[in-house]
Amino acid sequence: MLKLLIAERGDDREIFRESLAGICRQGAVSADYTDSPGQADTLFRKNPCRYDAVFFSVAPESGNPSAAAETAEKMQELNPYLQIILMTPYDYLPLSILECGNIRLLKKPLELPRLSRLVSDLRKNAAALAAGGQKLLVLKFNREYTYLASESVIYVYKCRNGIVIVTEDGERIHSGRLDDFEKQLTWTFCRCHSSFIVNFRHVVQSGTDYILMDNAHRISVSRAYRKKVERFIEKLGRCGGKREKE
């Protein structure tokens, strides 16, 4: 299901709601509504993993384009996969907004064909992220939650305080159990030891009893997990590096 967050008010909100219902079959899209980008940002921060895209209105003459750009940038810092859709009566917006990242424009007043094409693109993008093993992971440490793009994780291992997530930018601590964290992980991850899980997107070489990561770290494959790793590698070979259907 595609999950949307829409910041719109008044008649425009009802028009959007009716238009969305008109192009989507029941259960295909879930949408939450707020009155402003600020309220949308507050709701989004409660769970940055929840939404695939955020819609909000912006009018260049109202003095809020820079605020829209700042809100979009803050949201995408928490969730780099998030799509931002700016609804505007104009054909252009200041470059400061368009340079933020995954930004799209939706012309107002809304036209069903345009909205339909956009929603279709958003669904394809969400499906491609899932198929590509890209997901936002939830980490907890000292009662604080942080979020991490799964493809940046090289490997994960147990430590005294929980588990260590080794990424391209350093290490993060998560206070949960390795078995529970493994359930969050995408299809590119494989358990190779009771204390280690590796992301095969970062594997450069493997043998019977070892896996070499692209950060030059060599990880042991325990005897108990050798068959599992072999089957995982065979599966990757059969599907050509693409996820097989369950």
Side-chain angles (χ1 to χ4, degrees), residues 139-146 161 173-176:
L139 311 183
K140 182 181 180 182
F141 187 66
N142 288 338
R143 297 184 179 180
E144 292 186 355
Y145 290 92
T146 57
N161 296 325
I173 303 294
H174 175 58
S175 56

Side-chain angles (χ1 to χ4, degrees), residues 10-77:
D11 293 340
D12 285 344
R13 174 187 289 193
E14 293 310 309
I15 291 172
F16 190 98
R17 194 192 302 270
E18 292 173 4
S19 299
L20 193 61
I23 63 173
C24 298
R25 67 181 186 275
Q26 188 174 10
V29 175
S30 169
D32 292 332
Y33 291 83
T34 66
D35 290 331
S36 68
Q39 290 180 11
D41 185 45
T42 300
L43 182 58
F44 170 78
R45 286 174 180 276
K46 291 180 179 180
N47 185 357
C49 301
R50 176 171 174 76
Y51 299 103
D52 298 302
V54 177
F55 290 69
F56 56 81
S57 295
V58 57
E61 81 285 355
S62 67
N64 69 349
S66 59
E70 290 173 5
T71 301
E73 190 170 15
K74 289 176 181 177
M75 287 180 169
Q76 289 177 340
E77 284 176 358

